[in-house]
Amino acid sequence: IWVVGPSYMLAKKEFDYALDFLQKFFIMRRGVPTRYAHMCKIRTPKEGSCQIITPACSILETKSTENPRSLLGEELDTLVLAEAANTDRDAYERYLVARLGSRCGRQLAFSTGAGECGVFAEFVSKGESNNPDWKTFRSTTLVNPYFSREEYERNKEILDEKTFNEQFGGELVSKRGLVFTVDMATLVVPTSDALLAEL
């Protein structure tokens, strides 16, 4: 399994969820409950690729698209795209998607939206179509039991509607054709020549 992000730092955030799970997971070993993480080889350097190797020789490793050629030559069972809305199209199409082919692997893409263009938007569109190979799941920030309703409402008041819907509502927001956005309160109204002269 590869967890791939635009940077190693962003990939590590998803990696940490798996590591946290392993710290909480116990199996019986010789009749004694044993923390599974203690049976794994775990490497978490401050920079670069993190890795977990399980006793069954399964490998979870972080990768970055910063150097796309480093993504060549591996066969994957699962590809996890971290912050998928920021995935570089060229890196995905030329270096990542082919890693799944020989093993008929799966792909998971997690992200907050970033407009309606890019590979992530295409994944969402496929998942909302009748294509049986793709599934899309949307949720608002409020499904997170640790995110306060008060903070949600505060952001709803201070952010413009599109930004809020994108960042907190799980929506892909169109920004096509916009140089800037205006509402009725910010429209400029023409005035008389006399008033303009005074200004």
Side-chain angles (χ1 to χ4, degrees):
I1 301 170
W2 274 1
V3 180
V4 181
S7 67
Y8 280 110
M9 181 187 72
L10 290 173
K12 187 176 183 301
K13 292 177 187 294
E14 302 294 342
F15 175 90
D16 286 344
Y17 287 118
L19 191 55
D20 185 55
F21 173 78
L22 287 178
Q23 300 290 355
K24 297 174 182 174
F25 185 64
F26 288 82
I27 63 169
M28 295 303 289
R29 189 178 187 197
R30 299 186 187 102
V32 177
T34 304
R35 197 179 299 271
Y36 195 66
H38 294 169
M39 302 170 62
C40 299
K41 294 179 183 175
I42 300 171
R43 188 181 75 211
T44 55
K46 288 185 179 179
E47 295 182 5
S49 182
C50 297
Q51 188 180 71
I52 299 170
I53 303 176
T54 72
C57 296
S58 296
I59 300 171
L60 173 67
E61 189 170 7
T62 59
K63 295 286 185 179
S64 162
T65 57
E66 292 170 311
N67 178 13
R69 289 180 184 239
S70 68
L71 304 172
L72 290 170
E74 191 64 71
E75 297 177 332
L76 301 175
D77 296 302
T78 306
L79 170 64
V80 178
L81 296 174
E83 293 300 331
N86 295 295
T87 297
D88 177 75
R89 177 180 293 280
D90 189 60
Y92 175 75
E93 292 178 347
R94 296 183 65 204
Y95 299 99
L96 289 172
V97 73
R99 306 287 68 81
L100 297 168
S102 61
R103 296 192 182 190
C104 298
R106 293 182 174 193
Q107 172 183 295
L108 301 170
F110 302 104
S111 193
T112 300
E116 61 171 352
C117 300
V119 292
F120 181 66
E122 290 171 17
F123 300 156
V124 171
S125 178
K126 288 176 184 176
E128 292 175 339
S129 71
N130 292 325
N131 187 330
D133 294 330
W134 293 82
K135 296 288 181 208
T136 291
F137 303 91
R138 291 179 191 250
S139 61
T140 71
T141 304
L142 289 178
V143 300
N144 179 349
Y146 301 105
F147 199 91
S148 77
R149 181 77 187 198
E150 292 76 20
E151 184 67 11
Y152 179 87
E153 294 298 337
R154 188 181 75 80
N155 280 284
K156 192 172 187 177
E157 288 180 16
I158 64 174
L159 296 174
D160 71 78
E161 185 179 1
K162 287 191 173 187
T163 301
F164 178 81
N165 289 342
E166 180 181 81
Q167 296 299 310
F168 293 87
E171 295 181 20
L172 295 179
V173 175
S174 172
K175 295 178 181 165
R176 285 190 287 178
L178 296 178
V179 177
F180 55 87
T181 58
V182 295
D183 58 32
M184 291 305 291
T186 59
L187 290 177
V188 177
V189 200
T191 61
S192 69
D193 291 340
L195 181 56
L196 286 174
E198 290 178 19
L199 296 174

